[in-house]
Amino acid sequence: MKNIKSQSRRDFLRSSALAGGGLMLSFNLFAGGQRSAAKTAEKITALNLAETWSELAAYIKITPDNIIKILVPNPEFGQNVMTSLPMMVAEELDCDWKNVVVEMSTHDNVKYGPQFTGGSNSMRMYWKPLRNAGAAARQMLIEAAAQTWGVSASEISTKAGVLSHSSGKTAKYGEMAAKAATIAVPKDVKLKAPKDFSIIRNSKKNSEGTKVVTGKPLFGIDYRVDGMLIAMIQHPPAFGMKLKSFDATAAKKMAGIKDIFSFKLYDDSFEQGGFDTRTHNEMIAIVGNSTWEVMNARKNLNIQWEAAGDVKETMSGRGGKIEKIVPGRLETTANQLELMAEFAKKPSKELRKDGDPQTAFKNAAQIIERTYNAPFLAHNTMEPMNFFAHVQEDKALVAGPQQAPGWSEPTLSKILNLPADKIEIQMTRMGGGFGRRAYAQYMYEAARISQKMKAPVKLIYTREDDMTYGIYRPMYTATYRAALDANKNLIGFHVTGGGIPENPIHANRFPAGAVDNYLADGWEIPSNITIGAFRAPRSNFNAAAEQSFLDEVAEAMGKDPIQMRLDLLKRAKENPVGKNNDYDASRYIGVLELLKEKSGWGKPENAGKKRGVAAYFCHASYAGHVVDMVMRDGQPYVEKVTSAVDCGVVINPDAARNMVQGAVVDGIGQSFYGELTHTDGVPDQNNFHNYRMIRHNEAPKRIDVHFVENDIDPTGLGEPPFPPVFGAVANALFKTTGKRYYNQPFMSEQSKS
Amino acid sequence: MAKYSLKINGKTQQVDVDPSTPILWVLRDHLNMPGTKFGCGMAQCGACTIHLDGNATRSCVLPVSAIGKSAITTIEGLSENGTHPVQKAWLEHDVAQCGYCQSGQIMSATALLKSNPKPTDEDIDNAMSGNICRCGTYLRIKEAIKTAANTSNAK
């Protein structure tokens, strides 16, 4: 980790002259904190970020010829931060968007803070800092013009990058940029009121669109330097297996092969940080001149694997050092399901209790109990894992797709025994992330291999490597119980959930707060299958189970499913049960009402449609969908989706719609088809011929996206629309087929019926 | 190793590689043309789509030895600055999210429009279902193809 110094308020903004004239404004946007990047990372997971930054810097550069360069601190993985973050700066700078050039920043936690892409956080974390930056630069340009023209700053206005005085004098920002660089940075700046936004809320095209459609080398896998070698790794074929011995004599003799050797990801005494993962610790590296030669040599290895047995791991994170035993069990899906069913019967850890749920269930006139299951999911980013590394004696350069470079840097520093300030991490565009690239073992592997080879190396995973050596969405189960009284009122609610190896329960979310007697509890089964964040972690299961269950409860209560939710939310709003309810019932209601209106829910013209509805809260936002399903060629098909989202101010509306549409397609695909199963620790799926992904012809014909219009500071968008798709699809399946779907993927269940 | 003379984007290029090398890796590793993407290595995802004599072809399973005199077009060959009608339509609809699959999507779409200038939705479904988009931009892909089809010089 780089030295992080405490900043005082006077360091808030700094200006300097650009070589060749012009203004460069650098910002330490959150002064005063003392937190390390790692601590900040922990806080990010708590979704609590804006208050916790130690420092963050962004740069605006304005050249004399009026080019305005805005650097983007957060890595891009398709959420379009390369456009929306600069829009925030440009709005307050009041410049002409046509003159803006966008560039990915370097990695530097001192200047830029955690530089983390994930948790639907980018808009939230930058909303104030980046607008402050733009506003300060604008004020300095005004002051520079005031001094130049000998007039009062208050008489100068700005519009689209032009300074104007009432006398008729005008100047482009570029003309005043050099002078502005000598002006003291303003301490306080006034931000625009939302009603005055002219860039924010006006759709801007993807700033990297042309590079994408012309195939420019944007991605990690495209990274290349002279003399670079290509590496692949062979990992054990099963979770719970390890390397016993290997013979590479024949493979080493093949054309283009430089070396083949085994290496350890971490040293035996390594203490893993919060985001380190160790799927397999010893692997074989195959290094050569070109990808195809390395692929071929790999097939010629003679390798013996053996059972790894139980492995002791040392984790050092929040709350100090802990040791855990990772079981050596070679897992098979049928056994995983049995084990989960067994654990579900045992007493589990109470996560929240309101009122007296036991009595409520004892006195209930009717109890509805349903169990939901969901499999492991592979992220399957279209760009497989890869990283470039050039490790030298006294420094290292690594470049590639990473969501959280600030978290991987301390680990890389330990692995390479190099101080963090001798490590440069370049962030390339990512060909998808979805949480997978918050974990960086492929970066460490590339560095290990480069260090051994004393050469620049690009490590590439094949699709099979990527799919069978993953950091998966965990396998989950949850049992929901609802108690109804004789008048069909919901008097008790109980959810118990668990998973391999993580429990999914969000105990303080809806319907917590809306039911007098509520209980949530959870349990976990340790496993050697490595798991991690997957687009809206845990929520992506909970929304499926809970929203499907509520649909069934509404049916039992004889209520319309939207009205039933609205009634519960009204209770949560007016007279909430318990404390710590995560969600804002008013915003939840707002989304449901917008959804009801836009989908024409309950309208006579839609009476014949097979519709399912669901809504969910996560990442501080609210999203809901109405799914219209038909049978097509004997299979359920989602023909149309109406979506409503409350994510506060929508910065780039068309890009935001694209994101929601993508989340809907992703949600249909994962709920219909997504599944990674195991036989004796070996993943049963290893490429797209046996891991089914949603395809063009399976996407809906139409997805209408509607945003709640308000001036609330932006909340998350990348994740929130994803989870409720699962529930809406399940509920539409019931309407279409007459059968409730409790187990994902739904199409496996469909084929059994 | 063997020497091959390949016609790529209107230019002839020489390579000396193993005959079994898929043209994908010849492009990416040997000719420094990374626009064509690696996705699966088994013709299941379409990220590597190129044109072989105008037909959409998965380059990850096509050995260099099988090319012969056929002309190859890659994403780099459509236009340098995104001026091809299909690329323009992609920009108009702001299709891309992560963008990784889009080279392949655009190459499949361009080949479709060449053989079928006015495709129906079903034609598009059939031609494009070999190209996976993990971000789920399929609706915009379809709209972009329709826009390109309506542009007179979409060939």
Side-chain angles (χ1 to χ4, degrees):
Chain A
M1 201 173 310
K2 296 194 173 80
N3 296 322
I4 293 191
K5 280 179 283 187
S6 165
Q7 298 284 324
S8 64
R9 288 298 298 177
R10 67 191 146 75
D11 292 332
F12 177 64
L13 292 158
R14 258 185 310 228
S15 69
S16 50
L18 274 179
L23 167 70
M24 180 167 83
L25 202 51
S26 67
F27 299 84
N28 292 304
L29 297 162
F30 282 94
Q34 292 255 26
R35 294 182 183 278
S36 67
K39 280 196 174 158
T40 310
E42 287 174 14
K43 286 285 180 181
I44 290 172
T45 59
L47 299 178
N48 212 352
L49 182 112
E51 280 70 44
T52 66
W53 276 345
S54 52
E55 299 164 33
L56 179 78
Y59 288 108
I60 303 168
K61 296 179 189 179
I62 304 177
T63 62
D65 55 354
N66 215 33
I67 300 295
I68 294 158
K69 184 182 278 183
I70 301 176
L71 295 177
V72 179
N74 266 15
E76 172 70 74
F77 70 171
Q79 82 282 41
N80 210 354
V81 280
M82 291 290 278
T83 313
S84 47
L85 291 178
M87 284 172 74
M88 295 181 189
V89 179
E91 178 67 66
E92 294 293 342
L93 182 60
D94 212 12
C95 64
D96 190 340
W97 181 252
K98 286 203 294 287
N99 294 330
V100 171
V101 174
V102 173
E103 205 172 88
M104 184 71 219
S105 77
T106 54
H107 178 251
D108 187 332
N109 283 160
V110 176
K111 285 182 183 164
Y112 298 105
Q115 300 194 281
F116 168 70
T117 281
S120 299
N121 259 311
S122 295
M123 298 305 109
R124 285 188 276 171
M125 70 165 79
Y126 290 103
W127 177 240
K128 284 194 174 118
L130 287 190
R131 285 186 306 140
N132 274 331
R138 175 178 166 270
Q139 214 162 305
M140 291 162 75
L141 289 158
I142 288 175
E143 188 55 38
Q147 289 181 16
T148 305
W149 296 337
V151 300
S152 162
S154 63
E155 293 164 10
I156 295 173
S157 63
T158 58
K159 194 178 179 191
V162 177
L163 296 142
S164 308
H165 182 250
S166 47
S167 64
K169 287 195 174 77
T170 63
K172 288 180 181 165
Y173 281 1
E175 296 169 54
M176 291 294 166
K179 175 100 177 161
T182 68
I183 305 263
V185 175
K187 281 206 177 76
D188 295 303
V189 291
K190 195 166 172 285
L191 297 178
K192 287 184 183 176
K195 67 177 171 48
D196 298 323
F197 288 156
S198 64
I199 292 175
I200 289 169
R201 287 184 164 155
N202 286 281
S203 299
K204 302 293 173 202
K205 299 286 187 200
N206 190 327
S207 65
E208 297 214 296
T210 303
K211 290 179 191 164
V212 167
V213 303
T214 51
K216 296 287 183 291
L218 293 169
F219 300 93
I221 205 166
D222 303 335
Y223 198 94
R224 174 183 186 118
V225 299
D226 286 343
M228 181 180 82
L229 299 172
I230 299 290
M232 287 197 171
I233 54 167
Q234 182 62 55
H235 64 82
F239 293 92
M241 298 290 280
K242 66 173 184 178
L243 181 63
K244 185 182 182 193
S245 63
F246 71 101
D247 177 6
T249 316
K252 274 187 186 178
K253 286 181 191 151
M254 291 174 69
I257 297 306
K258 294 286 187 187
D259 202 358
I260 296 171
F261 54 91
S262 67
F263 71 100
K264 285 188 173 180
L265 182 59
Y266 305 126
D267 296 331
D268 289 335
S269 62
F270 185 78
E271 291 174 10
Q272 292 184 43
F275 281 80
D276 291 330
T277 56
R278 179 174 0 212
T279 309
H280 304 293
N281 200 37
E282 189 176 15
M283 284 153 292
I284 300 166
I286 307 101
V287 190
N289 292 330
S290 72
T291 313
W292 187 244
E293 288 167 324
V294 169
M295 281 178 171
N296 281 328
R298 189 177 169 181
K299 291 178 203 147
N300 256 354
L301 292 172
N302 186 355
I303 313 170
Q304 275 75 49
W305 310 101
E306 62 183 346
D310 293 353
V311 176
K312 192 170 75 181
E313 294 279 17
T314 310
M315 322 290 288
S316 104
R318 236 182 323 193
K321 203 194 289 192
I322 48 163
E323 285 189 346
K324 66 168 189 180
I325 301 293
V326 178
R329 186 176 74 238
L330 299 180
E331 300 190 18
T332 296
T333 299
N335 302 342
Q336 289 164 336
L337 284 165
E338 279 167 24
L339 202 56
M340 290 207 305
E342 199 178 295
F343 265 70
K345 287 186 200 122
K346 295 181 189 177
S348 56
K349 189 180 163 193
E350 185 180 297
L351 302 170
R352 171 167 171 152
K353 186 175 167 185
D354 297 317
D356 183 357
Q358 213 182 344
T359 305
F361 277 93
K362 208 171 78 190
N363 296 339
Q366 186 185 356
I367 292 174
I368 305 158
E369 178 176 331
R370 301 289 182 262
T371 296
Y372 302 83
N373 292 300
F376 290 99
L377 293 175
H379 291 81
N380 292 340
T381 61
M382 289 313 292
E383 179 196 22
M385 297 307 119
N386 66 85
F387 232 84
F388 169 85
H390 190 190
V391 179
Q392 294 167 280
E393 286 283 310
D394 57 345
K395 62 176 179 179
L397 164 67
V398 294
Q402 241 299 292
Q403 288 177 231
W407 306 353
S408 36
E409 190 182 66
T411 301
L412 193 58
S413 170
K414 278 188 232 165
I415 283 177
L416 296 176
N417 199 21
L418 278 174
D421 61 4
K422 299 292 176 197
I423 295 173
E424 181 185 348
I425 303 178
Q426 288 181 15
M427 296 171 287
T428 61
R429 190 181 183 88
M430 290 174 262
F434 308 100
R436 173 64 185 87
R437 296 194 221 263
Y439 312 90
Q441 96 278 5
Y442 53 99
M443 174 205 275
Y444 312 146
E445 289 160 359
R448 285 285 202 202
I449 296 167
S450 171
Q451 192 173 38
K452 171 81 166 36
M453 296 304 294
K454 296 183 172 34
V457 169
K458 181 165 67 184
L459 169 71
I460 300 176
Y461 282 20
T462 61
R463 177 57 55 193
E464 289 81 1
D465 296 333
D466 190 279
M467 208 179 283
T468 62
Y469 176 19
I471 310 291
Y472 307 99
R473 197 284 296 268
M475 188 171 185
Y476 290 130
T477 187
T479 297
Y480 285 78
R481 294 164 69 223
L484 304 184
D485 68 13
N487 296 320
K488 307 267 184 208
N489 294 309
L490 181 62
I491 54 168
F493 194 91
H494 176 208
V495 53
T496 180
I500 303 176
E502 172 195 82
N503 106 60
I505 300 303
H506 285 123
N508 295 320
R509 289 196 185 161
F510 184 74
V515 187
D516 286 317
N517 305 297
Y518 175 91
L519 177 65
D521 48 52
W523 46 268
E524 300 179 336
I525 303 174
S527 169
N528 52 31
I529 298 169
T530 36
I531 59 103
F534 186 111
R535 197 174 201 169
R538 302 193 287 163
S539 301
N540 60 38
F541 170 70
N542 293 331
E546 165 207 301
Q547 289 292 310
S548 185
F549 183 66
L550 289 180
D551 205 66
E552 212 165 334
V553 174
E555 193 188 18
M557 292 166 80
K559 280 194 178 185
D560 171 81
I562 292 186
Q563 195 54 49
M564 177 259 202
R565 286 167 172 83
L566 288 172
D567 292 347
L568 287 172
L569 286 160
K570 187 164 177 264
R571 165 73 203 276
K573 183 183 169 180
E574 291 171 358
N575 182 21
V577 180
K579 289 177 186 159
N580 304 323
N581 297 324
D582 276 349
Y583 59 96
D584 177 337
S586 305
R587 293 180 75 184
Y588 220 136
I589 289 168
V591 154
L592 278 165
E593 284 179 341
L594 182 67
L595 186 60
K596 196 174 164 183
E597 176 204 328
K598 297 295 181 184
S599 66
W601 184 265
K603 289 270 156 65
E605 65 267 29
N606 294 317
K609 287 184 179 156
K610 309 293 183 191
R611 310 192 109 179
V613 63
Y616 199 70
F617 156 83
C618 68
H619 301 87
S621 287
Y622 303 77
H625 309 283
V626 167
V627 158
D628 292 350
M629 195 178 272
V630 294
M631 290 302 281
R632 185 178 75 170
D633 304 327
Q635 293 295 319
Y637 166 64
V638 178
E639 195 169 57
K640 190 191 161 193
V641 179
T642 310
S643 305
V645 180
D646 179 354
C647 61
V649 170
V650 179
I651 292 154
N652 193 6
D654 187 54
R657 273 192 293 275
N658 195 353
M659 179 85 87
V660 177
Q661 290 166 338
V664 168
V665 173
D666 191 8
I668 297 168
Q670 304 290 352
S671 65
F672 265 28
Y673 312 122
E675 178 178 39
L676 188 92
T677 58
H678 299 88
T679 303
D680 296 329
V682 180
D684 295 323
Q685 296 77 23
N686 63 4
N687 206 321
F688 296 129
H689 65 300
N690 54 16
Y691 195 113
R692 188 163 171 193
M693 309 283 285
I694 188 165
R695 288 175 182 273
H696 190 107
N697 59 321
E698 292 152 349
K701 292 191 195 325
R702 205 167 144 185
I703 302 170
D704 292 338
V705 181
H706 305 276
F707 291 100
V708 174
E709 286 179 28
N710 58 38
D711 290 342
I712 297 170
D713 289 353
T715 51
L717 186 63
E719 289 160 294
F722 180 62
V725 180
F726 291 69
V729 165
N731 298 337
L733 277 167
F734 171 64
K735 297 287 181 192
T736 310
T737 66
K739 181 180 161 241
R740 293 276 176 190
Y741 285 68
Y742 301 107
N743 300 304
Q744 292 174 39
F746 297 140
M747 286 307 100
S748 290
E749 182 122 326
Q750 161 78 4
S751 64
K752 287 175 208 149
S753 63
Chain B
M1 303 295 249
K3 288 195 168 118
Y4 296 92
S5 186
L6 302 168
K7 238 194 309 177
I8 303 172
N9 299 333
K11 277 199 326 205
T12 303
Q13 308 240 42
Q14 315 288 337
V15 289
D16 187 4
V17 295
D18 185 276
S20 69
T21 311
I23 194 66
L24 168 70
W25 297 112
V26 173
L27 292 167
R28 292 186 58 86
D29 282 358
H30 301 278
L31 297 171
N32 194 15
M33 294 174 70
T36 307
K37 301 302 185 204
F38 169 58
C40 68
M42 59 187 307
Q44 292 291 317
C45 79
C48 69
T49 305
I50 59 167
H51 296 174
L52 199 64
D53 291 332
N55 299 314
T57 306
R58 312 291 182 221
S59 67
C60 70
V61 292
L62 179 69
V64 63
S65 58
I67 304 271
K69 290 193 190 329
S70 294
I72 292 168
T73 308
T74 70
I75 187 77
E76 291 94 341
L78 285 194
S79 83
E80 207 156 299
N81 306 314
T83 51
H84 185 281
V86 175
Q87 291 170 320
K88 277 162 74 176
W90 244 250
L91 293 173
E92 187 185 327
H93 291 274
D94 222 8
V95 172
Q97 287 188 31
C98 89
Y100 191 80
C101 74
Q102 300 297 351
S103 295
Q105 303 278 2
I106 289 170
M107 295 312 286
S108 288
T110 310
L112 163 69
L113 290 172
K114 205 169 264 187
S115 64
N116 182 357
K118 296 283 172 205
T120 62
D121 281 14
E122 205 183 340
D123 294 337
I124 296 172
D125 281 351
N126 290 335
M128 299 304 294
S129 290
N131 289 75
I132 297 174
C133 173
R134 173 69 179 81
C135 301
T137 65
Y138 297 124
L139 279 77
R140 285 174 185 242
I141 289 172
K142 188 169 271 157
E143 290 308 309
I145 292 172
K146 290 181 184 175
T147 296
N150 288 327
T151 314
S152 55
N153 57 345
K155 290 178 187 179

